[in-house]
Amino acid sequence: MDDMKKVGNSSCSDGVLLRMGLNDNKAGMQGLDKDKINKIIMETTKGSRFYENELKKDQQVNQRIEKMMQLKEKITAQQLLKAQWQVDKLVLELEQSRNLSSTIVHIDMDAFYAAVEIRDNPELKEKPIAVGSMSMLSTSNYHARRFGVRAAMPGFIAKKLCPHLTIVPLNFEKYSKVSKEVREILAEYDPNFMPVGLDEAYLNIAEHLEERLNWPEEKRRFFFNTESTAEKDKADINMSAKFNEDGYSASPVLFEENTPLMSDHAEKKDELVQNSVVFGTNAEEAVKEIRFRIEQKTQLTASAGIAPNTMLAKMCSDRNKPNGQYRIDPKRHAVLDFLKDLPIRKVPGIGKVTEKMLKALGIVTCSELYQQRALLSLLFSEASWRNFLDISLGLGSTHLEKDGERKSMSTERTFSEINAAEDQYSLCRELCRDLAQELQKEGLKGKTVTLKLKNVNFEVKTRASTVLSSVSTEEEIFAVAKDLLGTEIDRVAPHPLRIRLMGVRVSGFLSEEEKKYQQKSITSFLKSGKEIGFLRLQSRNSNQEYFRKKSEASFRGSFFDKKRAARQLNSENLSPNETVSKLLFHDRKSPANFVEETKEVTDLQDSNVCKIFTCPVCFEEQSSNNLEELNRHIDECLNGNLDTVEISKYDSSRENTPNFLPQCKNENVDECKPNRTDQLAGRDQSASTSDNPTSNSTEKSAQIISDKPHRERQPSNLCDIGSNVCMKQCLYPKRISQDNEDHFEKTEHTEETSSSYFFEAKDDSVLVCPVCNSEQKTSLLSFNRHVDICLNEGLVQELKEKNYFPSKTYHTENSNRIGGLSRGQQRTNPSQGTKRSGLTASQSVSKKAKLSNSKHTIEMFFK
DNA sequence: CGGATCGAC
DNA sequence: CTATGTCGATCCG
C-alpha cells in the first residue's frame, strides 16, 4: 500500500511536470527550472502533517469560491445593471478626488538580511545563501532564488532544492543597526518618513523637492566613498557606472513638473571624474541620490518607486528590483497605463487567497478588476470591493500617516510537541511573563486576553476572554490565560492537548483618558479607604466567597468565569504544590484584588469620615459619603450598569464606517444584491439624499457630485482622515524587541514572503489528470489530490460514501460543539447546506468528526 | 465580543 | 528530524 502510494505520488508529480511547460533548464547549471523546483518541494512535503493541513485550507478556499460562484449565478442582469450604475457613480466621485500632487517614494532594501550577511562575510559572495534556520528562512540572495529558495520557506526544503545553500542564522541587532543608518539618510528627505519593518520605508518628498529646486549644485554633490578594500573599489566602479547610465539614459523629463535646470546634467560627467557626483533637482534624481547615499554608507543597494500615492510607489519599487527605481508620472493616464496589465497579485493587500478568488471570476489584471467592478460590488463586502475599485483606479494614500496607537501586543512560540498539561501551563506562564514585561515597557493595560494554540496538525485555534478591569502583569494575564488553556485541555480530555505552538495576546487597551481615570479613581478611592483606617483582616476564604457572589451577578459572568471553580479542582493533576496555589491564589494584584479592596472598604459601614469617593466601576464621584449608599451604588454598578459602561466605551473607541455611496433609493428596481442589500443601502445620510429624494437620473447624480466638488475622498482605511491626524507623535517601533531564547528564533520576513512558494503554479496551463483524463482547473495542490484519488478507485468510493466531497450535504451536529459555539439548528432550510463554505475551525472539526462516523470526535483531531 | 482568515513584513 | 512571529483589518455569527 505504501509502495502503491509512492508510485502514485511520483507519477503524479511527473504528470504535473509534463504539463507545466517544457522549457528545460533554461537557467542551466546555475539553477533549477520551475518543474524541478515544484517536484522537489512536492516530494519532500507530501504526506507531512503540514501538507495535509495545506490541503485542508486549500479545500476551504475552494469552497469559498464555490459559494461565490453560486451567488454569482443568481445575479440578474437587472441587478448587475443597477450595480454598474451605482458603482460608476462612485467612480466619478473618486475620479474627481484623485490627487496627483504628492510625490511618494517607497524605498526597499534589496534582499536585506542576506545582503548584510554577505557584506560582512565576503566569503559568501557568489554563493547561494539564505538567512534563517533549518526550519524557516527569512530571505535569500538572488543566487539562491534561482534554485527556488525563497523567503518563508523552511531551510530543510531549501537544502533539497540547493544542497550547496549556506544558511546563515539571523542577527537582528546587526540589521537594526544598518537599518538605522539608512533611516538617518531618509530623514533628511522627509523627517516624517514612515518605516515599514527594517528594510522598507515610505517618504513624501514633495517638500524636499520644492526646496531642492533652489539648491546650489554643491548641496547636491556627493562623493564616492574612497577608503576602501578591493571589493569596495569594485563596488564603487559598478556604482558609478550604474549611475552614469541612469543619469544620462534619456530620462523622461519632458513632462516633469519640476523640470531641472539645464546645467544639472551637463556638469555631471566632469564631476564624476573627481570622484563625486551631482544629482539633479527632480524626483528621480533625488531618489537616485538617496540610493547612492545608502550604498555609499552601507554598501547595500536599494530599490525605489516614485508615484503619487503609497500603493503605486510600492508597486513601482518592485518594478526594477534589485538596485533600480521606477517612477509613475503624476498623470492619470500614466497611472492607468501602469496598471493596465499588472497582475493583481502585485498589489499590496492582494494575497494568495484573494488572487485565487478573483481568478475564478476571470480577473487577473488590474484592468480586468476595473471591468468587473459591478460584479465585484455584488459578490464582495463593501470594504473589499471598494478596495478593489481603489486599486483598479490607482488610488491610494497620498500622505503618510503616523502609526496610530498600537491595538494589541502578543508573543508566541513554536516548539516540538508539548502534550503534558503541566508543561503547557508553565509555558503559558512564561509567555505571560514575557508579554507583561513588554506591556509594562509601554505602560499598557488591556482588557482582552487571547490564547492561541496550534496543534501538531497545524490547526490553529484562538480563545479570548475580555475582563472588566484591565490587566498588565504576569499574574493578571496568566489568571485569564490559564483558564482559557484549561478549557481547551478539558475539551480534549482525557486525551492530551498536543500542541506545537502557544501564544498569548493582550488587546483592548485603555486609552490615555481611561488610564488616567483609572489611576485617579483607584488611588483616591484607596486613599479614602486608608484614611478611614481600614485594616486588612479578610481571610482568603471570605474573599473568594464574595468574589464568587459578585461574579455570578455580574455581566455575563465573563470575567469571573463560572468555570473557575471547576478548574480549580481540575488542576490538581498538575504538581499540586506549585501549580494550584500559584494558579489560583497568586493574584494579589489581579482584578480580583480590586473587588477585595472594595469589600474591605465597603464593609466598614460605621465609619463616619467625610470623604469623596469615586466609584471604581463607573468612575463617577459619589456625592454621598455614606458608606452604605456607596456600597449599594457599587453593587448596582457591578450588577446593572455594566451595559452602560460597556456601551460608552464602545462608542468612543469605534469609528463609524463612513459610507460614501449615495443612498440606494431605487426601490423600484430589484434588490441591489442577493444577500447584502444592507451594504449597498448606505447608513450615511449624506446631504445628497435629502437634496435628491430621487437620485435616479444621471444628471441628478452628476449634480450631487458637483455640489461638493473637492470633497476629500475618504479612504477605505479609516485612519486616513482620522481625528488623530493632528496628533504629533514620534515613531515608536511597535515590534517587541526580544532578544531572549535562542532556540525560539524570531524571524522577520522582508521580501517575497507570502508563503506562496508552496505549490504555486503561476502558469495557466490546464492540468489533465493522467488517470481519468479529465481536465482539472484547480490548483496544483488540488490537482495532486485528485490524481491521488483517481489512482485508487476504492478510496474514491469510500470517500464518497463518507461524504468527503462536501459539495453536497452535511449538517452541523450540535453534539460536537467543539468551539464552544452554541450553534443550534434553528435553520431548517435545506439550502443551508450551501451556506457553509466559510468553515470555521470548529465547524470543520464537526465535519471531520462526522466523517469518522462519530466514532471519535476530538481524539483523532489531536492524535 | 469571540473566532477565524487574510495579508504584510 | 525540520513549516516563524507580530500586528492590523475584516467578516461572520
Side-chain angles (χ1 to χ4, degrees):
Chain A
M1 185 62 177
D2 221 34
D3 283 343
M4 264 295 282
K5 212 164 189 182
K6 276 244 158 83
V7 173
N9 290 347
S10 70
S11 103
C12 165
S13 297
D14 288 342
V16 172
L17 269 181
L18 290 175
R19 324 258 162 206
M20 287 208 22
L22 295 165
N23 36 347
D24 17 339
N25 252 352
K26 255 188 193 159
M29 310 258 293
Q30 307 189 357
L32 298 173
D33 57 64
K34 256 190 199 166
D35 297 347
K36 284 208 171 129
I37 292 172
N38 279 331
K39 184 179 171 186
I40 294 176
I41 292 178
M42 194 63 96
E43 279 168 359
T44 65
T45 203
K46 187 171 269 187
S48 63
R49 296 181 196 267
F50 178 81
Y51 174 78
E52 291 302 320
N53 190 253
E54 288 298 306
L55 281 181
K56 212 180 85 188
K57 289 196 296 191
D58 198 61
Q59 278 295 96
Q60 287 180 16
V61 172
N62 285 340
Q63 290 200 10
R64 274 177 70 180
I65 290 176
E66 199 180 316
K67 179 184 165 190
M68 180 181 71
M69 298 309 267
Q70 283 173 9
L71 207 59
K72 185 189 165 197
E73 291 306 310
K74 292 185 193 152
I75 293 175
T76 68
Q78 204 181 19
Q79 288 172 330
L80 201 59
L81 218 58
K82 175 172 179 185
Q84 186 80 47
W85 182 79
Q86 287 185 317
V87 173
D88 283 352
K89 212 162 53 172
L90 179 60
V91 167
L92 270 180
E93 202 176 325
L94 292 175
E95 197 56 70
Q96 189 135 5
S97 64
R98 187 190 287 274
N99 177 356
L100 295 167
S101 63
S102 296
T103 307
I104 307 291
V105 178
H106 181 248
I107 302 280
D108 190 340
M109 301 296 294
D110 300 321
F112 186 49
Y113 299 167
V116 174
E117 296 300 340
I118 290 173
R119 177 193 73 173
D120 294 350
N121 182 1
E123 300 267 307
L124 302 175
K125 203 178 269 186
E126 312 299 330
K127 284 199 216 164
I129 77 154
V131 182
S133 73
M134 217 44 167
S135 31
M136 188 51 63
L137 302 180
S138 281
T139 190
S140 55
N141 66 358
Y142 281 82
H143 194 27
R145 286 180 201 188
R146 286 203 288 271
F147 290 86
V149 175
R150 313 244 257 114
M153 175 183 278
F156 70 94
I157 290 179
K159 273 285 194 183
K160 301 220 167 160
L161 287 170
C162 177
H164 297 314
L165 182 72
T166 307
I167 297 183
V168 188
L170 284 157
N171 186 346
F172 274 107
E173 284 178 19
K174 212 155 67 171
Y175 314 140
S176 304
K177 210 178 138 208
V178 180
S179 182
K180 196 178 153 214
E181 291 177 355
V182 173
R183 290 177 189 185
E184 282 167 6
I185 295 174
L186 300 185
E188 290 185 35
Y189 297 82
D190 177 6
N192 297 317
F193 77 98
M194 184 170 73
V196 180
L198 290 179
D199 75 325
E200 278 182 42
Y202 291 96
L203 290 76
N204 185 346
I205 58 167
E207 269 187 43
H208 168 84
L209 287 179
E210 249 178 67
E211 293 177 22
R212 189 182 177 89
L213 269 182
N214 306 317
W215 279 8
E217 208 178 283
E218 284 313 301
K219 257 184 126 168
R220 290 178 273 116
R221 180 191 304 277
F222 291 89
F223 292 88
F224 289 100
N225 198 346
T226 47
E227 32 95 13
S228 58
T229 65
E231 262 94 6
K232 255 169 128 190
D233 273 346
K234 220 165 121 195
D236 285 353
I237 290 165
N238 288 338
M239 194 65 198
S240 58
K242 176 106 188 166
F243 275 95
N244 206 352
E245 256 172 49
D246 281 3
Y248 294 101
S249 67
S251 48
V253 288
L254 261 79
F255 300 108
E256 283 286 332
E257 302 160 299
N258 305 326
T259 309
L261 301 176
M262 309 273 288
S263 57
D264 285 347
H265 281 56
E267 293 176 23
K268 198 181 285 180
K269 212 160 209 163
D270 294 338
E271 303 303 338
L272 276 174
V273 180
Q274 303 172 11
N275 231 357
S276 78
V277 58
V278 173
F279 293 91
T281 55
N282 66 20
E284 268 138 324
E285 287 289 311
V287 171
K288 276 179 199 162
E289 180 180 297
I290 293 174
R291 294 201 296 126
F292 175 81
R293 292 180 64 189
I294 290 175
E295 177 160 9
Q296 291 306 304
K297 188 167 178 178
T298 68
Q299 306 167 54
L300 302 171
T301 63
S303 298
I306 312 164
N309 65 53
T310 55
M311 178 189 74
L312 294 172
K314 169 129 179 96
M315 298 190 294
C316 285
S317 69
D318 188 58
R319 191 80 157 213
N320 285 332
K321 178 177 284 196
N323 197 12
Q325 66 185 62
Y326 185 85
R327 176 178 194 199
I328 297 179
D329 286 337
K331 304 212 168 5
R332 182 173 173 275
H333 72 83
V335 171
L336 298 185
D337 277 355
F338 180 84
L339 292 175
K340 190 157 182 297
D341 295 319
L342 192 76
I344 50 169
R345 183 54 198 274
K346 293 277 186 185
V347 178
I350 306 285
K352 204 177 153 185
V353 174
T354 311
E355 177 190 34
K356 192 172 172 183
M357 290 210 291
L358 292 176
K359 191 170 178 180
L361 297 172
I363 299 172
V364 174
T365 66
C366 290
S367 46
E368 287 160 351
L369 193 65
Y370 180 71
Q371 285 158 17
Q372 300 287 359
R373 60 197 179 282
L375 179 62
L376 293 173
S377 77
L378 295 176
L379 292 179
F380 287 83
S381 73
E382 174 152 357
S384 296
W385 70 257
R386 277 173 182 271
N387 183 36
F388 293 153
L389 200 58
D390 282 347
I391 290 169
S392 59
L393 291 172
L395 301 172
S397 303
T398 54
H399 60 275
L400 308 182
E401 315 152 21
K402 305 282 157 265
D403 276 355
E405 312 222 319
R406 81 148 70 230
K407 302 237 173 53
S408 73
M409 189 184 277
S410 66
T411 182
E412 69 188 50
R413 273 174 214 160
T414 296
F415 34 75
S416 52
E417 174 173 345
I418 294 183
N419 47 42
E422 197 178 335
D423 298 341
Q424 290 165 356
Y425 278 111
S426 59
L427 181 69
C428 182
R429 178 181 280 283
E430 214 176 294
L431 290 167
C432 292
R433 178 159 52 240
D434 294 351
L435 186 56
Q437 202 175 341
E438 297 301 325
L439 278 170
Q440 268 146 26
K441 268 186 204 165
E442 298 189 29
L444 292 170
K445 287 167 149 281
K447 292 196 290 283
T448 302
V449 175
T450 307
L451 180 75
K452 174 175 170 183
L453 299 174
K454 176 149 64 183
N455 70 14
V456 290
N457 294 322
F458 290 88
E459 291 154 341
V460 178
K461 270 196 191 102
T462 61
R463 292 289 178 263
S465 170
T466 301
V467 296
L468 292 175
S469 161
S470 57
V471 295
S472 66
T473 67
E474 172 192 346
E475 303 301 334
E476 288 165 349
I477 301 170
F478 183 62
V480 184
K482 74 157 204 298
D483 276 357
L484 295 170
L485 177 58
T487 355
E488 290 311 303
I489 292 178
D490 290 351
R491 186 157 295 181
V492 296
H495 298 275
L497 197 54
R498 304 181 59 191
I499 52 174
R500 73 178 339 267
L501 171 146
M502 187 189 294
V504 178
R505 166 181 358 205
V506 170
S507 55
F509 295 131
L510 293 149
S511 66
E512 284 303 316
E513 285 297 304
E514 286 171 310
K515 252 188 276 179
K516 273 184 200 161
Y517 244 154
Q518 210 206 24
Q519 281 284 50
K520 213 167 77 182
S521 53
I522 286 181
T523 50
S524 73
F525 183 80
L526 294 182
K527 209 172 114 206
S528 304
K530 197 165 187 180
E531 285 173 25
I532 293 169
F534 85 85
L535 292 168
R536 265 197 112 79
L537 0 112
Q538 302 303 317
S539 82
R540 280 285 164 195
N541 261 344
S542 66
N543 273 339
Q544 289 278 329
E545 194 179 292
Y546 181 86
F547 184 75
R548 205 180 60 241
K549 205 171 114 203
K550 278 299 165 207
S551 82
E552 276 160 15
S554 81
F555 184 59
R556 281 195 201 166
S558 59
F559 170 45
F560 306 115
D561 197 336
K562 295 150 250 159
K563 292 210 171 161
R564 169 177 270 267
R567 286 242 41 77
Q568 293 179 12
L569 300 176
N570 271 348
S571 45
E572 66 222 88
N573 53 348
L574 316 176
S575 73
N577 263 355
E578 203 209 58
T579 332
V580 175
S581 63
K582 264 197 185 162
L583 292 188
L584 303 172
F585 299 119
H586 62 272
D587 27 8
R588 301 192 52 86
K589 282 182 233 156
S590 81
N593 197 27
F594 196 88
V595 182
E596 291 169 22
E597 310 283 10
T598 305
K599 171 177 166 47
E600 284 156 2
V601 175
T602 52
D603 269 354
L604 300 174
Q605 294 181 3
D606 43 8
S607 169
N608 52 1
V609 180
C610 255
K611 276 290 159 193
I612 294 179
F613 292 104
T614 304
C615 167
V617 181
C618 71
F619 297 135
E620 278 182 23
E621 286 191 355
Q622 300 302 303
S623 50
S624 161
N625 61 355
N626 178 325
L627 283 174
E628 194 174 357
E629 259 180 53
L630 177 64
N631 199 18
R632 203 178 312 126
H633 169 86
I634 294 177
D635 273 353
E636 272 171 24
C637 263
L638 282 172
N639 282 329
N641 291 343
L642 290 173
D643 297 70
T644 329
V645 173
E646 290 290 311
I647 286 166
S648 68
K649 287 192 181 143
Y650 187 87
D651 281 350
S652 63
S653 64
R654 279 263 199 282
E655 293 118 318
N656 288 322
T657 310
N659 191 323
F660 322 113
L661 262 191
Q663 287 251 19
C664 167
K665 287 238 153 197
N666 312 348
E667 312 295 299
N668 51 337
V669 185
D670 258 16
E671 303 249 327
C672 314
K673 294 192 180 194
N675 245 344
R676 40 168 53 100
T677 52
D678 54 323
Q679 291 180 356
L680 270 185
R683 271 162 284 162
D684 180 28
Q685 64 314 349
S686 65
S688 59
T689 56
S690 51
D691 292 348
N692 304 274
T694 58
S695 46
N696 250 343
S697 70
T698 340
E699 305 94 79
K700 275 282 186 184
S701 77
Q703 185 65 41
I704 298 171
I705 292 166
S706 57
D707 273 346
K708 26 180 178 173
H710 291 304
R711 174 178 161 201
E712 173 92 84
R713 184 182 74 83
Q714 303 199 24
S716 41
N717 184 343
L718 296 177
C719 310
D720 254 11
I721 307 194
S723 51
N724 50 358
V725 160
C726 309
M727 281 170 66
K728 186 88 182 169
Q729 298 240 340
C730 54
L731 305 157
Y732 45 86
K734 283 195 170 176
R735 207 167 279 279
I736 298 180
S737 51
Q738 234 173 298
D739 36 11
N740 46 359
E741 309 291 351
D742 29 356
H743 57 292
F744 291 135
E745 283 140 333
K746 197 169 123 187
T747 62
E748 184 159 327
H749 288 274
T750 51
E751 37 184 61
E752 290 156 46
T753 136
S754 80
S755 79
S756 55
Y757 76 90
F758 192 71
F759 304 130
E760 213 165 272
K762 289 268 183 185
D763 319 36
D764 262 48
S765 37
V766 176
L767 306 172
V768 179
C769 171
V771 182
C772 72
N773 236 348
S774 69
E775 282 193 1
Q776 301 294 313
K777 284 190 193 168
T778 59
S779 67
L780 193 45
L781 202 58
S782 307
F783 175 74
N784 190 30
R785 155 193 283 245
H786 169 87
V787 178
D788 270 355
I789 292 173
C790 259
L791 279 172
N792 190 334
E793 286 292 336
L795 179 61
V796 167
Q797 273 310 324
E798 191 187 339
L799 288 174
K800 273 184 180 161
E801 280 163 22
K802 293 192 176 180
N803 216 358
Y804 193 69
F805 306 104
S807 50
K808 299 296 174 216
T809 60
Y810 60 89
H811 299 95
T812 331
E813 293 189 357
N814 59 351
S815 54
N816 293 328
R817 289 191 296 113
I818 308 303
L821 309 159
S822 57
R823 26 179 54 262
Q825 311 114 302
Q826 62 274 58
R827 311 179 179 268
T828 51
N829 189 341
S831 73
Q832 283 302 316
T834 65
K835 203 190 173 297
R836 42 181 43 277
S837 73
L839 281 183
T840 66
S842 57
Q843 286 168 326
S844 84
V845 168
S846 16
K847 170 183 152 193
K848 249 195 161 166
K850 164 122 193 176
L851 266 185
S852 66
N853 271 340
S854 305
K855 268 185 298 195
H856 316 291
T857 51
I858 307 153
E859 308 85 284
M860 67 172 292
F861 225 53
F862 291 103
K863 187 218 109 201

